[in-house]
Amino acid sequence: MSLFRLVFASNAVGAAAEGLLPLIDIIGVSNANNRRDHVTSALLRHDGRFFQVMEGARVDLDRTLNRIRADRRHDDLRILSDRAVDARLFTDCAMARIDATPALERLICAGLAPQKTGLMLEQLMAEAHRVASPIA
């Protein structure tokens, strides 16, 4: 099985932009779907936008992305990076929630080219996840 990593950004719509309950709902439903589909993922919501890294087989990522595009809580979805990879960054998470670190905030505000932003986002989100979820 070939493994792919996809990074996207979208605008959060309505209560999903700031509300806690919509975010909890997104994470809960996505966790169940991603476990079923063998997708690992991390989600960051910051300043009314979603940033997400997803990993899995091409068919599973395409199916997941189609669900997200149909979700009215997302608007103006943009693919920042989509590439084949050798290994997962989020090996233990069907759906992790990432908090914005200072480095992530700087990157989001910098307005870099999508491809460069996508690659940097995946690395910074993986680092934020490792720091937040140390192995006991």
Side-chain angles (χ1 to χ4, degrees):
M1 170 183 84
S2 295
L3 182 64
F4 292 87
R5 184 174 303 125
L6 185 141
V7 181
F8 75 84
S10 66
N11 295 329
V13 175
E18 295 180 14
L20 181 59
L21 290 179
L23 184 62
I24 290 170
D25 181 56
I26 288 169
I27 290 170
V29 170
S30 297
N31 186 56
N33 288 338
N34 290 354
R35 285 184 188 283
R36 179 195 64 221
D37 296 338
H38 307 288
V39 171
T40 53
S41 182
L43 176 70
L44 165 68
R45 182 182 65 182
H46 183 70
D47 284 344
R49 292 184 288 173
F50 290 117
F51 301 89
Q52 188 165 350
V53 179
M54 300 187 306
E55 304 164 323
R58 173 88 278 146
V59 66
D60 297 325
L61 292 183
D62 289 345
R63 182 175 36 248
T64 302
L65 194 58
N66 286 336
R67 274 195 307 269
I68 294 167
R69 285 181 189 202
D71 188 331
R72 292 183 179 171
R73 295 170 294 192
H74 293 267
D75 185 40
D76 192 27
L77 190 143
R78 297 161 315 281
I79 304 297
L80 303 176
S81 176
D82 188 357
R83 63 192 184 98
V85 294
D86 294 327
R88 295 177 189 259
L89 291 174
F90 303 95
T91 57
D92 60 341
C93 290
M95 183 56 142
R97 185 184 63 81
I98 302 294
D99 291 320
T101 62
L104 279 165
E105 287 182 6
R106 283 190 301 274
L107 176 64
I108 291 166
C109 293
L112 300 173
Q115 184 68 23
K116 185 172 184 180
T117 301
L119 297 175
M120 293 174 74
L121 265 172
E122 70 184 48
Q123 294 303 317
L124 289 172
M125 287 176 72
E127 179 60 27
H129 174 65
R130 279 192 295 276
V131 169
S133 306
I135 297 173

